């Protein structure tokens, strides 16, 4: 087992882990009670530390991937934040620009709320929201219900901060 992106649910029932399988780094979710091991997706190599999050009910898994399976035609080479619904087996790219296309920078460090509605993440992309003008990493919040991405790392005056932000 690789320790990259290792995450355990608060109740200890679910473990997200990565494993090297040939040339791929696979992300798995293991139910420690039932022994069920589910392949979630492939991770970029090297994988950024803290690149996996799971909701308290274990339905939602957020992870970072550079694979373009979800964004055909994406030529940026940037890491994207992916949200997977384990119930429906659907995956959604969260780190899209404000026009719904591939962002112009990498995103990472996903963090999910207990119910999986909110997903916070860091991104170097400057086009996730129209008014990101600082040219450095910012923290964003995705609302799964309304599909909106909001920049959280703002100055007290409401504009972009003047330095890098992180979770």
């Amino acid at each position: 087992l690789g320790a990259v992106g290792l995450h355990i649910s608060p109740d200890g029932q679910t473990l997200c882990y990565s494993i090297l399988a040939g040339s791929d780094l696979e992300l798995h979710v293991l139910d420690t009670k039932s022994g069920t091991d589910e392949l979630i997706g492939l991770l970029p190599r090297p994988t950024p530390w803290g690149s996996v999050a799971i909701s308290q009910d274990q339905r939602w898994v957020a992870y970072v991937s550079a694979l373009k399976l979800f964004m055909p035609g994406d030529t940026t080479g940037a890491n994207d934040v992916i949200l997977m619904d384990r119930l429906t087996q659907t995956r959604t790219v969260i780190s899209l620009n404000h026009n719904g296309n591939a962002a112009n920078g990498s995103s990472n460090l996903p963090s999910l709320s207990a119910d999986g509605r909110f997903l916070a993440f860091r991104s170097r992309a400057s086009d996730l929201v129209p008014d990101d003008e600082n040219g450095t990493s910012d923290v964003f919040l995705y609302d799964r219900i309304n599909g909106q991405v909001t920049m959280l790392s703002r100055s007290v005056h409401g504009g972009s901060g003047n330095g890098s932000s992180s979770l």
Side-chain angles (χ1 to χ4, degrees):
L1 296 182
V4 174
L6 188 66
H7 180 86
I8 191 163
S9 63
D11 64 2
Q13 182 175 334
T14 306
L15 175 69
C16 291
Y17 68 94
S18 59
I19 187 169
L20 188 59
S23 63
D24 295 324
L25 190 61
E26 297 177 345
L27 174 64
H28 289 255
V29 172
L30 173 67
D31 183 316
T32 59
K33 287 188 180 179
S34 71
T36 304
D37 192 343
E38 177 184 1
L39 173 64
I40 299 297
L42 300 176
L43 300 174
R45 293 179 65 194
T47 296
W49 183 257
S51 62
V52 178
I54 191 165
S55 63
Q56 190 169 5
D57 64 2
Q58 292 93 39
R59 177 176 175 177
W60 303 96
V61 177
Y63 62 98
V64 175
S65 180
L67 297 176
K68 301 309 164 202
L69 301 172
F70 311 108
M71 291 285 296
D74 180 358
T75 59
T76 65
N79 289 336
D80 295 308
V81 173
I82 311 295
L83 181 63
M84 179 182 178
D85 180 345
R86 293 179 63 214
L87 183 65
T88 65
Q89 294 294 301
T90 57
R91 292 169 178 83
T92 304
V93 179
I94 302 306
S95 52
L96 298 174
N97 71 17
H98 58 89
N99 293 320
N101 300 311
N104 64 5
S106 287
S107 299
N108 59 15
L109 299 176
S111 180
L112 279 167
S113 63
D115 64 359
R117 176 178 176 176
F118 297 103
L119 169 58
F121 62 98
R122 180 180 69 179
S123 183
R124 291 186 178 165
S126 63
D127 60 351
L128 296 183
V129 295
D131 61 344
D132 184 357
E133 301 166 348
N134 64 2
T136 188
S137 296
D138 292 299
V139 175
F140 296 88
L141 183 69
Y142 172 75
D143 183 335
R144 186 176 47 78
I145 302 299
N146 66 26
Q148 296 289 314
V149 173
T150 305
M151 186 167 73
L152 297 180
S153 51
R154 296 190 174 277
S155 73
V156 294
H157 304 291
S160 294
N162 63 1
S164 184
S165 300
S166 188
L167 292 173

